[in-house]
Amino acid sequence: MAVSYKELGLVNTKEMFAKAVAGGYAIPAFNFNTMEQMQAIVQASVKQKSPVIMQVSKGARNYANGTILRYMAQGAVEYAKELGCANPQIVLHLDHGDSFELCKDCIDNGFSSVMIDGSALPYEENIALTKKVVEYAHAHDVTVEAELGVLAGVEDEVVAEESHYTKPEEVVDFATRTGCDSLAISIGTSHGAYKFKPEQCTRNADGILVPPPLAFDVLEAIEKQLPGFPIVLHGSSSVPQDEVKTINENGGRLPDAVGIPEEQLRKASKSAVCKINIDSDSRLAMTAAVRKYFNEHPDHFDPRQYLKPARENMQKMYEHKIVDVLGSNDKL
């Protein structure tokens, strides 16, 4: 039996995005797989009074189980109320849906927003698939994110060797014909913790890799074509070097992991970019805390002991993103 997201207390992205575009900030879209991640996301968003998108990839859904995730999302809404948020603005979103069937299944199981990623398909096939998902989703008051242009990198099942910037001249035709509610574009962000090869970067005075800048000219051209239309950036983790350092100092091996500089994301979030996806940074924050804890307490084995600092470290990172990068604090 189908379950509506409204029964779970969730919201779709329509009003949220309109406010973000008008207000010059971006909504955090945090991927989650575990209870600790979910708790940290809710704690951070309530404390900073931020709307939030809780994202689930196809891989995360397989890992955690769709039914459990549905109740976790409902639990997130109730937990936010318990923490003092009278009217939580929480979206449950499918990240990188790759088929109509998957999107439909998520919509029928309480998701309030879905992404259909047909970016690897020929242009007309991407339009046809996206339009089919939009028609089903809109019949259930669910919002749809589509993708035009291809991001490089690896994230769960999403693998692309090279990126192809979104072509500004295609966006009006694509958005009009599909009826999508927001559009993920490619302007130089990339999936994973290894977003760029060392030879694509320069090194600063400290020897840290500095990636090539985002293509703000492409973003501006897209904004001119689609004024006020909600734009989404994927692959936007910044790969904080302090977390990478902690991991490497405590037995990890992450050489040359590099992300998108936060000042560039701050600049993007003041434009029509109203949703910024962050996944790898959460994984790094969690792993850094766990590795450090095990190094300092090799005799401990209770998961609560090492997952508590992991949860605290993730919450700190989420709050930092909300306040210092996206500007979505105090928007509830």
Side-chain angles (χ1 to χ4, degrees):
M1 196 178 77
V3 177
S4 167
Y5 68 88
K6 292 171 185 177
E7 296 169 42
L8 308 178
L10 299 163
V11 299
N12 68 23
T13 59
K14 194 158 279 181
E15 196 179 317
M16 199 181 272
F17 283 177
K19 285 182 180 172
V21 172
Y25 60 93
I27 310 290
F30 297 132
N31 288 66
F32 81 108
N33 311 265
T34 70
M35 181 186 76
E36 288 77 16
Q37 282 177 306
M38 184 270 277
Q39 289 172 318
I41 290 168
V42 173
Q43 287 166 347
S45 59
V46 169
K47 189 174 171 189
Q48 296 303 335
K49 300 184 176 64
S50 171
V52 71
I53 296 168
M54 291 175 43
Q55 297 201 143
V56 179
S57 66
K58 181 181 175 183
R61 200 162 178 248
N62 291 339
Y63 174 80
N65 175 270
T67 304
I68 289 173
L69 279 173
R70 184 174 83 217
Y71 287 108
M72 282 177 83
Q74 185 175 25
V77 174
E78 296 306 317
Y79 183 36
K81 289 177 184 173
E82 190 183 300
L83 290 173
C85 180
N87 184 28
Q89 298 292 296
I90 298 175
V91 173
L92 180 63
H93 175 75
L94 170 66
D95 190 24
H96 287 290
D98 60 358
S99 69
F100 171 77
E101 291 72 25
L102 175 60
C103 290
K104 179 183 183 298
D105 192 45
C106 287
I107 292 163
D108 292 344
N109 280 282
F111 279 64
S112 56
S113 177
V114 294
M115 178 198 184
I116 179 65
D117 182 0
S119 60
L121 298 171
Y123 182 71
E124 289 296 331
E125 287 179 38
N126 187 0
I127 286 181
L129 175 60
T130 302
K131 188 169 188 287
K132 188 178 179 185
V133 171
V134 166
E135 284 168 355
Y136 188 81
H138 284 184
H140 295 80
D141 203 21
V142 168
T143 40
V144 179
E145 175 186 327
E147 182 162 341
L148 193 56
V150 178
L151 268 68
V154 180
E155 179 187 52
D156 283 351
E157 291 83 10
V158 184
V159 180
E161 287 299 318
E162 55 181 314
S163 70
H164 303 282
Y165 285 172
T166 304
K167 295 173 185 163
E169 63 273 16
E170 291 180 348
V171 294
V172 175
D173 181 63
F174 185 87
T176 306
R177 288 171 61 193
T178 61
C180 65
D181 300 288
S182 61
L183 189 62
I185 62 167
S186 174
I187 59 166
T189 54
S190 179
H191 289 131
Y194 295 91
K195 297 186 183 300
F196 306 97
K197 293 179 179 140
E199 56 269 25
Q200 291 175 280
C201 306
T202 54
R203 288 190 187 268
N204 66 14
D206 300 319
I208 303 292
L209 291 176
V210 179
L214 298 180
F216 280 101
D217 55 332
V218 176
L219 175 58
E220 282 159 21
I222 289 167
E223 284 186 271
K224 282 201 182 80
Q225 295 286 337
L226 284 174
F229 194 81
I231 301 297
V232 177
L233 284 188
H234 282 242
S236 296
S237 283
S238 296
V239 188
Q241 292 303 303
D242 55 338
E243 306 291 11
V244 173
K245 187 166 180 273
T246 300
I247 289 169
N248 289 340
E249 284 173 351
N250 289 278
R253 271 199 304 276
L254 292 176
D256 295 336
V258 64
I260 309 298
E262 289 186 334
E263 60 273 14
Q264 294 198 30
L265 296 176
R266 204 174 289 122
K267 180 180 172 184
S269 64
K270 289 174 180 167
S271 68
V273 171
C274 64
K275 171 179 182 269
I276 292 183
N277 292 10
I278 295 165
D279 187 3
S280 296
D281 287 357
S282 167
R283 298 177 184 192
L284 290 166
M286 188 175 201
T287 300
V290 170
R291 278 195 175 276
K292 185 169 185 284
Y293 187 89
F294 277 141
N295 220 7
E296 291 170 356
H297 307 278
D299 55 327
H300 287 188
F301 59 90
D302 181 344
R304 291 171 299 183
Q305 291 175 314
Y306 55 85
L307 289 175
K308 188 180 177 190
R311 186 173 63 195
E312 287 167 356
N313 205 34
M314 285 190 290
Q315 181 183 342
K316 190 176 89 178
M317 188 275 298
Y318 292 136
E319 287 189 47
H320 162 64
K321 297 290 182 185
I322 287 167
V323 175
D324 301 320
V325 182
L326 308 172
S328 64
N329 52 309
D330 299 321
K331 299 298 187 290
L332 284 182

